[in-house]
Amino acid sequence: MEHIRTTKVEQVKLLDRFSTSNKSLTGTLYLTATHLLFIDAHQKETWILHHHIASVEKLALTTSGCPLVIQCKNFRIVHFIVPRERDCHDIYNSLLQLSKQAKYEDLYAFSYNPKQNDSERRQGWKLIDLAEEYKRMGLPNSNWQLSDANREYKVCETYPRELYVPRIASKPIIVGSSKFRSKGRFPVLSYYHQEKEAAICRCSQPLSGFSARCLEDEHLLQAISKANPVNHYMYVMDTRPKLNAMANRAAGKGYENEDNYSNIRFQFVGIENIHVMRSSLQKLLEVSGARGLSVNDFYSGLESSGWLRHIKAVMDAAIFLAKAIMVESASVLVHCSDGWDRTSQVCSLGSLLLDSYYRTIKGFMVLIEKDWISFGHKFSERCGHLDGDPKEVSPVFTQFLECVWHLTEQFPQDFEFNEAFLLQIHEHIHSCQFGNFLGNYQKEREELKLEEKTYSLWPFLFDDQKKYLNPFYSSRSQRFAVLEPNTVSFNFKFWRTMYHQFDRTLHPRQSVFNLIMNMSEQNKQLEEDIKDLESKIKQRKNKQTDGILTKELLHSVHPESPPLKTSLCFKEQSLLPVNDALRTIEGSNTADNRYSEYADEFSKPEPAVVSLEYGVARMTC
Amino acid sequence: MEFSELIRTSRAQAELLRGPEMPPLRGTLYVTGHHLLLSPAPQTTTDLWLLLLRSVDSIEKRVAGDSGTITLRCKDLRVLQLDIEGVEATLDIARSIEALSSLESVITSFPFFYRPKGLRLGDAWHFHPPESYYKRIARETNAWRLSEANEDFSLCPSYPRAVIVPRAVDDQTLARSARFRQGGRCPVLSYYYAPSGTVLLRSSQPLTGPQKRRCREDELLLRAVLAGARPEARGFILDTRSAQEAKQARITGGGTEAKAAYPGWKRLHRPLERGRPLQESFVCLVEACGDPEQSMDHWLSRLEGCCWLAHVKEVLSTACLAAQGMEREGACILVHGAEGTDSTLLVTSLTQLILDPMTRTMAGFQELVEREWIQAGHPFQLRCAHSAFSHAHPKHEAPTFLLFLDCVWQLSRQFPLSLEFGEGLLLVLFEHAYASPFGTFLCNSEKERCLCEVRTRTHSLWSGLNQPKEQRKLRNPLYVPNPLAIWPSVEPQSLRLWQGLFLRWTHPPEPSEVAGGKVWQIVTEREKTGDSQPTASTSEPQP
């Protein structure tokens, strides 16, 4: 609170960066302890969570006031014009303070109260249970067992307590191997493919340098390949570019020497590191946010940012992994440097391709919980939750979501969830509203007592799942229906709904999803009505044969059949909440779009903004 | 001329490869006057395969040993490969295809021989007569009249017989204005926007020449347009060339309207690509789409380099500008470039699609294509003589109509519920514009079509399309009439490559199409449940 000097500024203008230059909304700006709130003249509210703010910039004073540009981690960019410079300065300073917290305890999650009692909250944290998940995979079994080596976080601080390892790998082997691996992250199981009896394992890079070797580590790898009864060799995927891995050797790290390990097939897959990814996204945002962007600048920018190339690299790695398991029934060990960024991407995407369970709403939560949260993807550092080293921030998880989105585009019927679900998750990795993504590894989360002090995101998403359902989903009966995405370059597109989520004018103005959702919902309803009516008719026929005919029966049939006309006209739009994340507007007005500089030629004063909601209302009946 | 003279070998044993998705087909290959057919070996169950020779864009032959390979690149962007037994047969068949696919005569083309079952000649030719549209406007506005000055095509050979002009302008004035415009294309009404009472006009460039000539009658005509709209109406002349190009056109006798000569009218220049550069852009794009092995960077740089989407953006935003002028400013708009048969039509037709809900229906869109493209004199025969694969040096070819279809597709992506037709119709129009068994896209103008007796001797595509069995492929199952104008976003982030067309044969269909089946299922289920409800209640036994 001590950071807030001004809580309310009136006559603030909000500019829309993709509309004609002179269009703006005037309203009042409020600063609260957790949010920045703008209420325009039409009482429309724009809420910006302080934790979402990535940067605040005060531009040079103009005649109409002092411009304040706020860039958010969910890719929202707002451009205010504050009439008085002093107010602007106050807000600017407050936001700088509020958006960067020094301590976990000051984050929103610790004060957020969704009106649940303690037992509900505890229940919520139990929704996703990883012990249950390993059971679902068919573990433990004759080859894999739960190891208690890390029960006290003694072997590896950044791993979870419960780890699955080959049954024949003894504790000394595990401990020995962990000493040979960066940050002690020794090879453990990430996913077990019951049908192929092959496993996806993960670890960090070996501390091999130019010649060092470690017998325990070699034993552990051998144990992993022996745990696969079908195939005697295993793949070791180093997800880094070869050059990076070689450079690491000089620092006493590096990669496995094929001569020292029996029966491994070593493979580099060439995903770039977090720094390359960070600057790539930076370039992408610069391009897509440019004013008056031409088509050619857009595509050359898209190319030079390299973003889609990186997405393709991650996807290709996941496909390589899935193929090794499906085609060769070989187990695969994945690592990068520390084994928490690229490794998490590749293991989780690979599992998603292999197991249809992860393509359901619940399964996807489990997947994130397992490969990202429990295995120590450093969410707090990568998302910059606290005021820390900006070099640790990187969109690794965003890339994962984007890969999943590309898969949903290629396989529209294979995912239970829709795009809004991915966007919502992305929103919350940065929001710090729930405890799930705070901290960098499980031990730290336990120390923060997150389960006692904060709420879990998953039950909230789960309760809201109607919003996130994909109407085209047709669950295949087979659990192991593998996805084989095609990664020709044509298939990779700019993810507009992610990077321009809040630039409403750039999106389709009508939502097929909502319409289809409503339709299938109504179909179900109508079918039930039919059944209902049929049973009544039957009942009545029976009664007729009994010679009983009552007036009341007639009444009971008629009021129940809804008038066909209204249902055909989608009157019951309220069946589904219109998704906030993907606001769709029909019709729209010309001022939303920049058609040309010549538009100035038509230089009449603008009429009051045409009510877009009006268009929707007219459309819905 | 006899086709048989051109057919060197009429049959051979061959195997046909139709891309990665389809199984190869073996059988006997026949060359006929208009078709290539493959009759599969008797034991297979597949049907006869048929290809209109007219749709072959380029042909490549290769021989090795005692067999040969012919690669056919079609105008609809398909690539087919024929493996033929016998070197001689291969060469002969290749030569025959080459000769037959490039015949220029209209009256020996296939539409003059095509007699499908279920259709009667001359049936739907008057399905969408532009006259009826014009008559309605003349009736509604009282400011316009249908002129018969072009009854014998003497006023303008590329206009239809009926043109609609201001009531205040007599035929003589009209004739003088026509003489002042290239190709006689004087300003005529293209669309009447009832809510603001304004009109969209199109013409060709005025022949001002280096001396900056003026024409009183032409000025009179445009003044009458403003007077007929409403008092103090303003007008904008949208020149689809840059100011520089318009100026340069004076050297060759063309030019643009002088400001002083047309009070109330203001000129805007929105340069749109046309002709050779547009064709080259199309060729580059298709080339890029044919290479699945290329790296991400290479693909993106080729997508940029071909400029196709930049053209889409320019055309769409120009149409939006025109529509904006009519809707927001209540201004009259005259669109022209040079000849007024290409980019002009792009702008006028898209403007109508944006503003007018009627043109977004199945019938309305067909009417729009008929009125604003076919009857308005877009030279289909010249523009669509070759598609993107031809090695021939392009003379008059340009994918103007394809660019229009692409823009419509972009609209359909942004307003997925507002168009009654789906991608299917756009693909069919693309195919038929380049090669068709129907007569609709034949010739370059109404005059030529009359001379060739196209209407009485060929079938209309519209009657072919409007048969019930075709409908499901062409319709948008999710259509809900939208009474509003649809303003698309023209930001590069909002425009997308039309995969359904450019990657149709090399690439699995877009997810939207895959899901299309599911959509139909949901929609028809809903119709079924909706239908069965009244039956459930009517089946009540009467007491």
Side-chain angles (χ1 to χ4, degrees), chain A residues 18 288 293-296 298-300 302-303 308-309 312 409 412-413 471-473 486 488-494 496 500 505-506 508-510 512 515-516 519-520 522-523 526-527 529-530 537 540 544 549 554 557-558 562 564 567-568 570 587-591 593-596 598 601-602 604 606-607 615 618-619, chain B residues 236 266 268-270 288-289 291-292 294-297 299-301 303-304 307 309-310 313 317 320-321 324-325 328-329 413-418 478 480-496 499 503 507-508 510-511 514-515 518-519 522-523 525-526 529-530 532-533 536 539-541 543:
Chain A
F18 287 103
S288 69
L293 182 65
S294 75
V295 174
N296 287 356
F298 176 64
Y299 281 102
S300 69
L302 200 55
E303 181 204 340
L308 290 178
R309 191 179 67 224
K312 178 170 149 62
E409 284 281 291
Q413 305 198 27
F472 304 119
Y473 179 56
N486 185 340
V488 294
S489 305
F490 315 134
N491 271 340
F492 292 88
K493 298 172 198 112
F494 176 71
R496 188 184 55 224
H500 289 290
T505 58
L506 294 192
R509 311 305 164 88
Q510 298 177 311
V512 172
L515 184 73
I516 293 280
M519 279 188 174
S520 6
Q522 284 178 20
N523 283 350
L526 286 170
E527 260 157 33
D529 287 351
I530 289 173
I537 289 167
R540 194 175 139 167
Q544 241 181 355
L549 179 76
L554 268 176
V557 173
H558 279 296
L564 184 64
S567 66
L568 271 174
F570 325 129
S588 82
N589 84 42
T590 55
N593 303 288
R594 294 185 286 113
Y595 292 131
S596 83
Y598 291 105
E601 300 269 358
F602 303 130
K604 275 191 186 167
E606 268 191 54
R618 281 216 345 235
M619 287 303 303
Chain B
F236 287 98
K266 188 164 183 174
L268 303 175
H269 290 278
R270 289 305 310 263
C289 288
D291 177 8
Q294 65 200 321
S295 73
M296 187 60 84
D297 289 359
W299 161 243
L300 290 173
S301 88
L303 201 53
E304 180 216 338
C307 291
L309 283 170
K313 179 186 155 97
S317 52
C320 287
L321 186 70
Q324 199 179 356
R328 294 276 299 285
E329 312 298 324
R413 294 285 305 193
Q414 295 196 26
F415 296 88
L417 315 181
S418 298
L478 297 174
V480 183
N482 179 353
L484 306 171
I486 52 173
W487 301 104
S489 161
V490 295
E491 298 296 331
Q493 293 97 321
S494 307
L495 301 177
R496 286 195 34 199
Q499 290 205 3
L503 298 170
H507 201 60
E510 275 215 275
V514 178
K518 182 88 179 172
V519 173
I522 292 171
V523 173
E525 234 169 58
R526 147 191 202 83
T529 44
S532 50
Q533 225 174 356
S539 66
E540 277 172 47

Side-chain angles (χ1 to χ4, degrees), chain A residues 246-312:
Chain A
M246 304 232 303
N248 262 304
R249 291 210 317 211
K253 301 165 188 173
Y255 53 93
E256 290 81 357
N257 184 341
E258 262 178 299
D259 300 337
N260 299 341
Y261 293 83
S262 51
N263 297 326
I264 71 162
R265 296 188 178 181
F266 188 84
Q267 178 77 34
F268 287 111
V269 289
I271 303 173
E272 298 289 349
N273 66 25
I274 58 166
H275 310 294
V276 174
M277 300 308 190
R278 180 180 53 245
S279 68
S280 168
L281 179 64
Q282 192 57 42
K283 274 186 216 146
L284 181 78
L285 295 178
E286 271 165 32
V287 170
S288 69
R291 270 194 86 87
L293 182 65
S294 75
V295 174
N296 287 356
D297 287 347
F298 176 64
Y299 281 102
S300 69
L302 200 55
E303 181 204 340
S304 68
S305 78
W307 183 254
L308 290 178
R309 191 179 67 224
H310 299 315
I311 296 292
K312 178 170 149 62

Side-chain angles (χ1 to χ4, degrees), chain A residues 185-388:
Chain A
R185 294 170 69 92
F186 59 94
V188 296
L189 179 132
S190 155
Y191 175 74
Y192 179 72
H193 197 283
Q194 228 174 339
E195 196 184 271
K196 299 282 177 189
E197 300 182 76
I200 301 176
C201 296
R202 53 184 293 169
C203 62
S204 60
Q205 65 183 336
L207 304 175
S208 53
F210 289 103
S211 58
R213 46 190 294 194
C214 167
L215 286 178
E216 289 93 339
D217 194 62
E218 289 160 24
H219 275 137
L220 186 51
L221 260 64
Q222 193 144 32
I224 290 172
S225 45
K226 278 194 182 144
N228 181 338
V230 187
N231 202 326
H232 64 286
Y233 62 84
M234 70 183 283
Y235 281 97
V236 175
M237 275 174 82
D238 190 327
T239 55
R240 300 168 292 182
K242 189 171 182 186
L243 213 64
N244 300 19
M246 304 232 303
N248 262 304
R249 291 210 317 211
K253 301 165 188 173
Y255 53 93
E256 290 81 357
N257 184 341
E258 262 178 299
D259 300 337
N260 299 341
Y261 293 83
S262 51
N263 297 326
I264 71 162
R265 296 188 178 181
F266 188 84
Q267 178 77 34
F268 287 111
V269 289
I271 303 173
E272 298 289 349
N273 66 25
I274 58 166
H275 310 294
V276 174
M277 300 308 190
R278 180 180 53 245
S279 68
S280 168
L281 179 64
Q282 192 57 42
K283 274 186 216 146
L284 181 78
L285 295 178
E286 271 165 32
V287 170
S288 69
R291 270 194 86 87
L293 182 65
S294 75
V295 174
N296 287 356
D297 287 347
F298 176 64
Y299 281 102
S300 69
L302 200 55
E303 181 204 340
S304 68
S305 78
W307 183 254
L308 290 178
R309 191 179 67 224
H310 299 315
I311 296 292
K312 178 170 149 62
V314 175
M315 196 84 106
D316 279 329
I319 292 168
F320 179 88
L321 186 153
K323 269 200 184 134
I325 290 190
M326 280 318 285
V327 180
E328 302 177 52
S329 300
S331 291
V332 185
L333 175 66
V334 184
H335 73 73
C336 46
S337 295
D338 290 320
W340 49 45
D341 293 310
R342 291 167 269 200
T343 303
S344 295
Q345 286 178 332
V346 175
C347 289
S348 55
L349 267 181
S351 316
L352 190 83
L353 295 178
L354 290 168
D355 192 332
S356 63
Y357 175 65
Y358 298 127
R359 294 171 228 146
T360 63
I361 287 186
K362 177 98 181 270
F364 193 64
M365 295 174 179
V366 168
L367 185 68
I368 292 173
E369 193 72 40
K370 172 170 72 75
D371 271 314
W372 292 87
I373 297 173
S374 90
F375 278 115
H377 173 68
K378 306 202 283 178
F379 274 105
S380 272
E381 291 203 345
R382 296 292 178 259
C383 301
H385 289 160
L386 299 177
D387 194 9

Side-chain angles (χ1 to χ4, degrees), chain B residues 21 160 174 192 216 219 242 248 314 319 345 445 460 472 474:
Chain B
E21 306 280 309
L174 199 63
Y192 170 67
R216 208 176 54 83
E219 291 160 20
S242 68
Q248 273 170 357
E314 285 312 312
L345 305 182
S445 65
S460 152
R472 189 162 172 155
L474 310 176

Side-chain angles (χ1 to χ4, degrees), chain B residues 5 87 105 118 176 228 262 265 299 315 336 347 393 403 417 494:
Chain B
E5 290 167 18
V87 172
S105 149
R176 283 180 187 270
Y262 298 86
W265 290 90
W299 161 243
V315 170
H336 73 71
V347 176
H393 203 61
L403 189 55
L417 315 181
S494 307

